[in-house]
């Protein structure tokens, strides 16, 4: 164990690690928000609630069917993504012609409903969800102790984020998506079912949130308000990164997580607010966001 | 002369008859955390305990009618204060009981004082309730932070845990517990190496635990309760803190927490409580009745305190012949009557509102030592009443002169 | 360019301001009689929230700016009002002024940052700034964190009116509410107000006409924040408590809900909405957790079906302005 700037290395690397983990969640969630906003021009306020629903679905799957973490990682996002598709078909479709703010208000209302229902049935204390046995324990790296599960979280998020970026930026499906964002009528004229693409895109974004929720369940405890606490930070991340680019969302998410972790070491009182302060600075200096294109 | 005597005797008989048939009507409000992190240590269990107290008392005193309402303060002082205002002003509640969460309890205590009604605290812990913030309308039953600090803190330092780091819940209770424990640790010869505060109802303790780990203190004092304590202990296990040689001191742990953690995780934890369900036959019998309403759960000392507090209040109400509208009078009556209930035995309430009784130093059993469900603790020591609570003169309570 | 509130008055009636005057008279009469029939503490609380909602409505209904973090001004005014009354011994009038000034300063700083972006970004920035100030409130010593600032003295107004008397307090709150309400009314029906509405309808056109729209928006923002501050500061004295609930995001959401239900862009809408939501919360308190669900459901149905809100629908049907 050695010291850097007077802080023991265990503390520093430990907090950096936690920062990377938080950053993974920020990246996953802001990625989902960016994908949804890109296609639908709607800010999905219920993103946090859908993240929470992913965690709860995993908990319920375990409770009622005995299926553990690994199946839940796949099943929960599908289930929650499906509810997202229903939401899009029933509600969001009617709002496309109106001001974007109505979409924000509607998804805010949905978030309240989801959180309220969860609180009613489960109470607002946290529910336990254990780390899967295969990922228990950790590695003693000498300068710090690295729990296996947390390493998995970082790795999995990176894979999903880069995978999503790849699909959107480098494949034909992604090309259709990007084209439909820019000019839906023209793309429709080419015979591509744009409304269905929009619906599926929303479902995918929601599934991303739920996936993050399942990953969060073992470490953050499953509670109804886990989403609402997180979503506002993610909003700040998104404002900083700019909604323009997928890559921007990923980089900003991880980067801000690390900065937050560092702040916890050197200036712990500010750790809650540092992301918002950065947002204020970015707004003053570069209003479109770090990676954004001028609206 | 004989006629006058006869008339007087007749009148006396009438008067006695009237007194024994005096109708006593009171309304009690159980205000607790019904759905959040304290729901298991108080919550619906407190409601069940209050119901039992009412049933037991009215069985022996059929002239007493008790109405009970329930409220959820959601751990927010403004909601608690609003409900208290509402209950005392509009709903004609005479006495509020329980209130886990010291911030809410302090607020409700103020309201009770303003409206001159009665408030019996069982759930909250802040010793300030009988200290600087005491008033003539509030009685503090069950336990407080001073008792916990001096029970657990002193005991741990005496067994070698002399360097401490505190993980504190950032509100009135946490601050009070941290302050009282720090004082106890230092008085016993220990040293406090540092502290960190976390918000109430925190999900992720990793960064706080990391700081505790790097402090290298022998003991990490958990100055929190309920769900927060459970999460800290679980996540400490994840980060290998106990394996690394540090030990955890749960400064406020309840039977329900131990049940949620499970003996394998909780074994060895040293804690102080004032009531344990498995200590004697009376407690066991009471618990069996309580469990009819709360299946699968274990009663905590808070539930016992609600039961005992309600009983004593009803006794005072009868002694006052049902004139319960002046809170200060009722509380004075409760202080003047010695207490006697099946759960806490005989005891008294001091002028500062502090109910005193013995405390017990408990240790969580290893899984192999547990013989039946709910067999959580072995009793390490009994702290006699005179030593268990803060001395009356040291509290800075304005009601105590000198 | 789309705007949030549809134009309400299709055929402006010649007697348009008469309906508003009648409405004002009815509202005032109701509020004067009410404390003799209902619990005054509840009514005072409702009036504070009604003022808060009116202040919020100024921005969304008449400028088209959705501020999703309005709790910042309400809550921090509440804290400073409570703290100055309790720790510095300020009489209630100075305490409320202190709170209001705090809100104005916060509004200036937040507004100048948020105005840099439009539409959704504006909303997200206001939310993020409010959350930052929530965390600040959580940690600052003087706010009392989770416990809040309790036992705030009601005090004696101007040295003569003892506010411990419920009816005196009620009268003071009523006057503050009516004054705030009339102030907002004057803003809306002034030349300044007309420019604001022009910005809401078509900002580009307003710019092309030579108006420095950013400046107008900022002034409107600060006014809205200041009035929200009046509401918060008064509430702290009435309830004698300032807590984290006042600065947290659900509070911001609630004021949006109140205005939406009552009617965006109407002058009485927020008042009706505030009372309606508070009554609902009150009645549903025994089934506590369902309140959140019901509020969400009301949000959803208002956005989908009921965009004009209660007052808005009435005004539309009767072709009057409310």
């Amino acid at each position: 164990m050695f010291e850097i700037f007077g802080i023991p290395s265990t503390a520093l690397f430990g907090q950096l690690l936690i920062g990377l983990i938080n950053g993974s969640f920020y990246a996953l969630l802001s990625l989902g928000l960016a994908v949804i906003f890109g296609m639908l021009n709607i800010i999905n306020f219920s993103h946090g609630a859908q993240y929470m629903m992913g965690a709860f679905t995993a908990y319920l799957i375990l409770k009622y069917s005995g299926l553990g973490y690994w199946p839940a990682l796949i099943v929960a996002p599908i289930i929650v993504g499906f509810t997202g598709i229903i939401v899009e078909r029933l509600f969001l479709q009617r709002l496309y012609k109106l001001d974007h703010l109505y979409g924000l208000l509607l998804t805010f209302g949905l978030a309240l409903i989801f959180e309220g229902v969860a609180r009613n049935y489960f109470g607002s204390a946290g529910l336990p969800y254990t780390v899967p046995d295969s990922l228990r324990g950790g590695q003693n790296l000498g300068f710090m102790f690295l729990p296996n599960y947390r390493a998995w979280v970082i790795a999995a998020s990176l894979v999903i984020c880069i995978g999503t970026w790849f699909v959107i930026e480098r494949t034909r499906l992604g090309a259709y998506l990007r084209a439909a964002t820019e000019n839906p009528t023209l793309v429709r004229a080419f015979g591509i079912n744009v409304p269905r693409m929009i619906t599926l895109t929303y479902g995918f974004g929601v599934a991303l949130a739920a996936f993050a929720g399942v990953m969060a369940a073992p470490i953050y405890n499953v509670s109804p308000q886990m989403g609402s606490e997180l979503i506002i930070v993610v909003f700040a991340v998104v404002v900083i990164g700019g909604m323009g680019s997928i890559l921007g969302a990923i980089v900003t998410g991880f980067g801000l997580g690390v900065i937050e972790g560092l702040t916890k070491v050197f200036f712990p009182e500010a750790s809650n607010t540092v992301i918002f302060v950065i947002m204020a600075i970015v707004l003053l200096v570069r209003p479109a966001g770090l990676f954004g294109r001028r609206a | 002369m004989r006629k006058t005597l006869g008339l007087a005797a007749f009148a006396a008989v009438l008067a006695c008859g009237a007194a024994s048939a005096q109708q006593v009507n009171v309304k009690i409000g159980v205000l607790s955390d019904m759905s959040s992190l304290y729901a298991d240590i108080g919550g619906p269990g407190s409601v069940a305990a209050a119901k039992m107290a009412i049933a037991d008392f009215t069985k022996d005193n059929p002239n007493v009618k008790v109405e009970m309402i329930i409220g959820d303060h959601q751990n927010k002082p403004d909601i608690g204060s609003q409900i208290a205002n509402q209950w005392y002003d509009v709903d004609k509640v005479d006495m509020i009981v329980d209130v886990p969460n010291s911030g809410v309890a302090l607020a409700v205590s103020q309201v009770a004082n303003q409206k001159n009604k009665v408030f019996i605290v069982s759930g909250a812990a802040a010793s300030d309730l009988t200290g600087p913030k005491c008033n003539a309308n509030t009685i503090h039953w069950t336990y407080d932070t001073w008792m916990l600090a001096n029970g657990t803190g002193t005991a741990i330092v005496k067994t070698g845990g002399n360097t401490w780091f505190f993980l504190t819940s950032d509100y009135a209770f946490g601050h009070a517990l941290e302050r009282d424990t720090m004082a106890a640790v230092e008085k016993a010869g220990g040293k406090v190496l540092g502290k960190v505060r976390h918000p109430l109802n925190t999900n992720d303790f990793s960064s706080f635990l990391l700081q505790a780990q790097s402090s290298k203190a022998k003991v990490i004092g958990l100055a929190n309760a309920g769900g927060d304590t459970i999460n800290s202990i679980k996540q400490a296990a994840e980060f290998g803190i106990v394996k690394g040689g540090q030990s955890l001191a749960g400064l406020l742990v309840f039977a329900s927490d131990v049940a949620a953690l499970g003996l394998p995780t909780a074994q060895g934890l040293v804690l102080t409580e004032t009531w344990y369900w498995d200590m004697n036959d009376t407690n066991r019998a009471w618990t069996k009745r309580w469990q009819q309403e709360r299946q699968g759960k274990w009663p905590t000392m808070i539930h016992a305190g609600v039961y005992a507090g309600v009983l004593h209040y009803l006794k005072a109400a009868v002694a006052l012949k049902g004139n319960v509208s002046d809170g200060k009078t009722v509380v004075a009556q409760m202080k003047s009557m010695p207490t006697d209930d099946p759960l806490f035995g005989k005891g008294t309430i001091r002028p500062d509102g502090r109910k005193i009784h013995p405390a017990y130093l408990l240790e969580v059993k290893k899984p192999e030592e547990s013989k039946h469900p709910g067999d959580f603790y072995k009793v390490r020591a009994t702290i006699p009443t005179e030593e268990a609570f803060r001395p009356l003169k040291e509290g800075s309570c304005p009601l105590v002169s000198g | 360019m789309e705007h949030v509130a549809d134009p309400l008055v299709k055929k402006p009636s010649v007697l348009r301001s008469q309906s508003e005057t009648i409405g004002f008279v009815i509202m005032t009469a109701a509020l004067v009689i009410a404390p003799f029939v209902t619990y005054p503490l509840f009514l005072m609380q409702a009036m504070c929230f009604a003022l808060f909602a009116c202040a919020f409505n100024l921005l969304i209904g008449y400028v088209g700016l959705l501020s999703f973090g309005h709790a910042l001004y309400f809550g921090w005014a509440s804290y400073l009002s409570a703290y100055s009354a309790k720790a510095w011994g300020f009489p209630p009038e100075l305490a409320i002024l202190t709170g209001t000034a705090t809100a104005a300063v916060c509004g200036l700083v937040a507004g100048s940052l948020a105005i840099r972006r439009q539409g959704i970004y504006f909303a997200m920035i206001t939310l993020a700034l409010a959350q930052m100030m929530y965390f600040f409130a959580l940690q600052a010593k003087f706010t009392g964190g989770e416990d809040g600032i309790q036992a705030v003295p009601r005090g004696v107004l101007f040295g003569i009116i003892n506010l411990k008397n419920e009816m005196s307090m009620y009268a003071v709150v009523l006057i503050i509410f009516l004054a705030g309400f009339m102030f907002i009314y004057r803003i809306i029906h002034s030349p300044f107000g007309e420019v604001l509405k022009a910005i809401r309808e078509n900002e580009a056109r307003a710019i092309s006409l030579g108006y420095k729209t950013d400046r107008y928006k900022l002034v409107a923002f600060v006014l809205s924040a200041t009035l929200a501050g009046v509401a918060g500061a008064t509430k702290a004295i009435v309830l004698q408590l300032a807590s984290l609930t006042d600065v947290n995001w659900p509070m911001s959401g609630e004021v949006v809900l109140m205005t939406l239900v009552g009617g965006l862009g109407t002058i009485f809408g927020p008042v009706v909405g505030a009372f309606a939501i508070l009554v609902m919360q009150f009645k549903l308190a025994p089934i506590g957790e369902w309140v959140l669900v019901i509020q969400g459901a009301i949000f959803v149905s208002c956005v989908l079906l009921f965009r004009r809100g209660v007052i808005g629908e009435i005004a539309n049907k009767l072709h009057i302005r409310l």
Side-chain angles (χ1 to χ4, degrees):
Chain A
M1 200 210 60
F2 48 96
E3 296 218 340
I4 301 177
F5 292 125
I7 312 277
S9 68
T10 356
L12 180 64
F13 288 118
Q15 297 288 13
L16 268 177
L17 176 71
I18 293 174
L20 264 180
I21 292 167
N22 285 342
S24 311
F25 290 107
Y26 294 154
L28 274 175
L29 290 172
S30 61
L31 177 63
L33 274 179
V35 166
I36 293 176
F37 183 74
M39 276 301 291
L40 281 70
N41 259 316
I42 284 193
I43 284 294
N44 185 27
F45 206 107
S46 44
H47 215 63
Q50 283 147 347
Y51 157 85
M52 180 265 290
M53 275 161 57
F56 268 92
T57 311
Y59 172 83
L60 289 169
I61 291 177
L62 178 63
K63 193 164 173 197
Y64 290 117
S65 75
L67 286 179
Y69 179 79
W70 298 105
L73 259 184
I74 307 196
V75 173
I78 294 180
I79 296 179
V80 181
F82 189 67
T83 63
I85 291 179
I86 298 178
V87 161
E88 199 273 340
R89 284 270 120 149
L90 275 184
F91 303 124
L92 292 174
Q93 268 190 347
R94 294 165 212 262
L95 299 179
Y96 294 146
K97 298 191 187 61
L98 299 174
D99 194 297
H100 303 330
L101 291 175
Y102 280 118
L104 174 60
L105 291 177
L106 181 97
T107 51
F108 179 77
L110 287 174
L112 289 182
I113 295 180
F114 295 147
E115 188 175 325
V117 169
R119 244 203 243 176
N120 254 321
Y121 285 115
F122 301 103
S124 50
L127 291 169
Y129 193 86
T130 43
V131 176
D133 287 326
S134 36
L135 287 172
R136 242 179 250 244
Q139 318 299 325
N140 195 338
L141 299 176
F143 56 86
M144 66 161 290
F145 182 81
L146 173 63
N148 287 338
Y149 185 74
R150 300 190 185 232
W152 152 253
V153 166
I154 300 174
S157 318
L158 271 171
V159 166
I160 297 286
C161 284
I162 294 178
T164 310
W165 171 82
F166 187 81
V167 165
I168 292 182
E169 296 285 331
R170 293 274 183 271
T171 64
R172 187 181 297 184
L173 175 63
Y176 291 159
L177 274 168
R178 282 179 286 129
T181 318
E182 291 191 34
N183 198 333
T185 331
L186 195 55
V187 173
R188 247 176 136 157
F190 279 122
I192 296 179
N193 190 338
V194 173
R196 194 193 309 164
M197 248 195 336
I198 293 181
T199 309
L200 289 174
T201 307
Y202 186 76
F204 174 69
V206 171
L208 262 181
F211 179 79
V214 178
M215 290 223 290
I219 38 180
Y220 288 158
N221 253 320
V222 180
S223 79
Q225 55 269 15
M226 62 194 286
S228 50
E229 290 159 1
L230 196 49
I231 194 70
I232 301 179
V233 181
V234 177
F235 276 2
V237 169
V238 154
V239 170
I240 294 174
M243 293 284 229
S245 87
I246 303 288
L247 193 61
I250 300 172
V251 169
T252 322
F254 277 107
L256 283 169
V258 170
I259 294 181
E260 197 187 50
L262 281 172
T263 317
K264 277 214 183 108
V265 181
F266 292 110
F267 194 10
E269 294 82 27
S271 55
N272 274 326
T273 50
V274 63
I275 293 189
F276 300 114
V277 171
I278 295 179
M279 180 193 78
I281 297 175
V282 167
L283 276 173
L284 286 170
V285 170
R286 215 186 124 89
L290 294 175
F291 294 89
R293 297 183 276 260
R294 258 246 167 251
Chain B
M1 176 69 181
R2 219 182 287 162
K3 219 177 172 179
T4 330
L5 264 179
L7 266 173
F10 184 55
V13 168
L14 263 182
C16 285
S20 64
Q22 176 82 40
Q23 184 63 22
V24 174
N25 292 329
V26 291
K27 193 161 174 182
I28 296 180
V30 180
L31 182 59
S32 196
D33 170 12
M34 297 294 176
S35 61
S36 183
L37 77 165
Y38 295 150
D40 278 337
I41 61 183
S46 296
V47 176
K51 274 199 201 150
M52 282 168 66
I54 295 172
D56 289 350
F57 193 83
T58 50
K59 199 163 57 135
D60 295 330
N61 298 276
N63 55 319
V64 176
K65 194 165 91 76
V66 185
E67 216 186 310
M68 186 185 83
I69 57 177
I70 307 171
D72 183 357
H73 60 58
Q74 298 178 44
N75 291 308
K76 301 205 172 100
D78 47 314
I79 296 187
S81 157
Q82 264 169 40
I83 296 180
N85 265 307
Q86 170 88 12
W87 278 1
Y88 286 140
D89 274 342
V90 181
D91 296 318
K92 307 277 182 281
V93 168
D94 300 304
M95 185 270 272
I96 294 184
V97 69
D98 196 15
V99 187
N101 188 310
S102 298
V104 183
L106 285 166
V108 174
S109 174
Q110 291 287 330
V111 177
N113 186 235
Q114 267 169 17
K115 311 279 178 193
N116 196 13
K117 300 282 179 188
V118 181
F119 177 37
I120 301 181
V121 190
S122 179
S127 53
D128 293 351
L129 282 164
T130 52
K133 305 258 172 72
C134 72
N135 61 51
N137 296 76
T138 304
I139 289 187
H140 197 177
W141 210 280
T142 314
Y143 71 121
D144 67 24
T145 50
W146 195 96
M147 174 218 106
L148 295 170
N150 279 268
T152 316
T154 316
I156 292 183
V157 174
K158 290 225 173 82
T159 57
N162 55 5
T163 53
W164 283 62
F165 184 93
F166 283 99
L167 178 58
T168 306
S169 192
D170 197 3
Y171 76 114
F173 156 69
H175 301 163
L177 187 53
E178 180 197 280
R179 173 198 68 209
D180 288 342
T181 313
M182 250 165 76
V185 163
E186 284 168 358
K187 198 163 91 175
K191 219 168 77 131
V192 176
L193 298 181
K195 57 182 164 172
V196 69
R197 301 243 167 106
H198 71 79
L200 190 62
N201 216 351
T202 293
N203 282 328
D204 182 24
F205 284 90
S206 42
S207 65
F208 308 111
L209 287 168
L210 226 46
Q211 290 178 50
Q213 207 173 28
S214 52
S215 75
K216 299 259 169 273
K218 290 196 194 139
V219 181
I220 300 178
L222 300 173
N224 52 24
D228 285 336
T229 307
I230 296 178
N231 286 337
S232 329
I233 297 179
K234 285 209 308 215
Q235 289 174 23
E238 204 194 320
F239 275 88
I241 286 187
V242 178
K243 283 215 188 83
Q246 293 170 299
S247 63
L248 296 170
L251 291 166
L252 180 52
V253 178
F254 295 92
S256 50
D257 302 327
V258 176
L261 282 168
L263 285 178
T265 316
Q267 59 181 305
L269 266 181
V270 171
L271 52 122
T272 315
E273 292 207 56
T274 55
W275 184 89
Y276 171 43
W277 79 269
D278 206 8
M279 259 171 55
N280 55 50
D281 289 329
T282 321
N283 290 358
R284 281 186 275 269
W286 186 89
T287 302
K288 244 205 177 110
R289 280 174 58 203
W290 183 87
Q291 283 177 325
Q292 281 164 7
E293 283 242 9
R294 301 285 296 151
Q295 277 122 8
K297 304 273 186 194
W298 298 99
T300 65
M301 58 177 176
I302 291 183
H303 301 141
V306 170
Y307 178 84
V310 171
L311 270 185
H312 194 62
Y313 174 79
L314 292 174
K315 284 187 195 158
V318 166
L320 288 174
K321 303 212 197 345
N323 294 323
V324 292
S325 49
D326 185 300
K328 290 186 174 57
T329 316
V330 180
V331 171
Q333 178 70 30
M334 288 177 72
K335 288 178 185 169
S336 70
M337 293 165 48
T339 68
D340 188 1
D341 61 82
L343 300 182
F344 287 89
K346 295 202 195 320
T348 48
I349 303 179
R350 299 193 321 204
D352 57 355
R354 180 68 249 167
K355 157 79 169 57
I356 51 178
H357 38 249
Y360 308 99
L361 191 64
L362 305 164
E363 183 183 327
V364 179
K365 286 186 175 174
K366 301 203 224 315
E368 31 315 347
E369 292 171 326
S370 170
K371 301 285 173 251
H372 50 260
D375 182 14
F376 300 130
Y377 303 134
K378 40 188 183 223
V379 180
R380 287 265 291 267
T382 304
I383 308 174
T385 309
E386 315 77 61
E387 293 168 28
F389 290 95
R390 180 187 57 214
L392 186 59
K393 292 284 180 343
E394 288 180 20
S396 329
C397 168
L399 294 175
V400 176
S401 48
Chain C
M1 218 223 83
E2 313 96 323
H3 47 83
V4 181
D6 298 325
L8 286 164
V9 182
K10 305 260 169 140
K11 295 181 272 194
S13 157
V14 172
L15 308 168
R16 58 189 180 140
S17 66
Q18 239 196 24
S19 56
E20 287 173 324
T21 321
I22 297 176
F24 185 78
V25 170
I26 296 178
M27 181 179 80
T28 312
L31 286 173
V32 169
I33 302 176
F36 301 103
V37 229
T38 335
Y39 189 31
L41 194 64
F42 169 77
L43 288 169
M44 290 192 271
Q45 206 182 344
M47 282 196 283
C48 289
F49 276 100
L51 183 58
F52 182 27
C54 288
F56 169 78
N57 185 38
L58 180 63
L59 269 184
I60 180 80
Y62 298 96
V63 192
L65 291 171
L66 172 62
S67 162
F68 226 94
H70 237 59
L72 203 181
Y73 321 107
F74 183 77
W76 274 86
S78 175
Y79 273 128
L80 263 300
S81 167
Y83 190 73
S84 59
K86 185 172 178 186
W88 297 338
F90 279 17
E93 65 271 12
L94 271 186
I96 294 180
L97 271 175
T98 312
T100 311
T102 312
V105 169
C106 290
L108 185 60
V109 174
S112 17
L113 276 173
I115 303 266
R116 287 166 172 263
R117 301 298 300 274
Q118 318 271 32
I120 301 186
Y121 284 104
F122 175 84
M124 289 187 351
I125 292 165
T126 54
L127 178 58
L129 287 173
Q131 191 70 350
M132 176 173 88
M133 292 305 280
Y134 164 77
F135 283 118
F136 185 40
L138 183 58
Q139 292 174 333
K141 286 272 174 317
F142 83 96
T143 58
E146 298 273 359
D147 308 317
I149 303 180
Q150 299 179 8
V152 177
R154 283 262 181 98
V156 181
L157 188 70
F158 299 130
I160 35 173
I161 309 176
N162 187 347
L163 293 181
K164 280 218 191 95
N165 180 321
E166 287 292 280
M167 291 318 260
S168 310
M169 183 82 246
Y170 187 87
V172 170
V173 175
L174 180 60
I175 292 173
I176 293 179
F177 168 68
L178 289 176
F181 184 87
M182 298 208 318
F183 184 54
I184 294 177
Y185 184 82
R186 286 301 300 138
I187 296 176
I188 294 170
H189 291 290
S190 67
F192 175 75
E194 297 297 327
V195 177
L196 292 181
K197 284 180 238 171
I199 295 176
R200 179 191 73 192
E201 302 279 328
N202 194 330
E203 187 167 351
R205 196 181 291 161
I207 297 177
S208 71
L209 285 171
Y211 289 108
K212 299 214 174 2
T213 53
D214 275 353
R215 221 175 273 178
Y216 278 88
K217 287 198 280 190
L218 185 59
V219 173
F221 195 95
V222 174
L223 281 171
S224 172
T226 311
L227 286 159
V230 173
T234 313
K235 184 212 73 101
I237 301 288
V238 170
L239 293 181
Q240 304 183 267
L241 182 68
S243 72
L244 282 175
T245 315
D246 301 329
V247 274
N248 207 359
W249 66 267
M251 178 62 81
S252 295
E254 255 182 48
V255 74
V256 178
L257 178 66
M258 290 175 186
T259 314
L260 195 59
V261 163
L264 295 168
T266 65
I267 188 98
F268 294 105
V271 180
V272 169
F275 273 83
I277 296 297
L278 279 175
V279 167
M280 180 200 78
Q281 285 178 347
F282 193 80
K283 293 281 179 219
L284 292 178
I287 48 171
E289 297 308 346
W290 287 109
V291 176
L292 209 59
V293 180
I294 292 174
Q295 283 185 332
I298 297 177
F299 245 112
V300 171
S301 31
C302 275
V303 170
L304 284 176
L305 306 165
F306 202 40
R307 242 162 273 135
R308 291 199 194 89
V310 170
I311 297 293
E313 289 291 339
I314 297 177
N316 194 38
K317 287 282 171 348
L318 301 177
H319 296 304
I320 54 174
R321 176 175 293 175
L322 273 177

